[in-house]
Amino acid sequence: MRPSTTRLSAFDLVVAAGGLILLLLAVQNLGPALAAFRGDGAWGTFTARRVECVQHPGHEQCTWLGEFRAGRTVRPEVAFYGGERGTFTPGQAARAFDTGRRGHVYGPGGSNEWIAVALLMLAGLGLVSRPLWRPRRPRRARRPAGEPGAGPPADTGPRPDTGSRTDIDP
């Protein structure tokens, strides 16, 4: 008896490839997200220059852009993570740290981005492993016609023992 083998469908392959992409995105963002959570990075000063807001149905998302200075390092045009419209006024400075993430610095409270990264990683792992936990149906062995259990018999007409009978007395 051979072990049961199930071929992966094209759908399974596409789902697994999507999961792999999610895993790669999560892994590349894991380091900066954990650093932002722990407050690890180069500490310096963020000076707010302008706020940019995007209107969504039901709410507004704003980001403060400005300059970050840490020692001799100057990063112009970086966003302050988590800054809302009323967080700063133009020219106002605040303590911040840089984790190395392109385009962002963080305030003393850090961030909870690691939660989204962890969920992304779990989703990627789930999709990549989908073919392993998908229920498998055993394949039925085909039997040659005429062998017992090969399927329903072909209809060959009425059987001799089931002729038409009437129980009516003459």
Side-chain angles (χ1 to χ4, degrees), residues 44-109:
T45 304
F46 173 80
T47 305
R49 298 287 181 234
R50 71 181 189 285
V51 66
E52 291 182 354
C53 297
V54 176
Q55 297 289 328
H56 298 286
H59 90 309
E60 176 182 69
Q61 176 68 41
C62 295
T63 302
W64 276 93
L65 297 168
E67 178 181 89
F68 176 75
R69 289 182 179 267
R72 295 178 187 218
T73 303
V74 177
R75 291 184 62 196
E77 289 297 309
V78 295
F80 186 88
Y81 180 85
E84 296 295 324
R85 181 185 291 275
T87 305
F88 296 107
T89 57
Q92 182 180 355
R95 190 166 180 238
F97 66 95
D98 180 13
T99 62
R101 182 176 173 206
R102 189 176 66 196
H104 286 82
V105 294
Y106 300 87

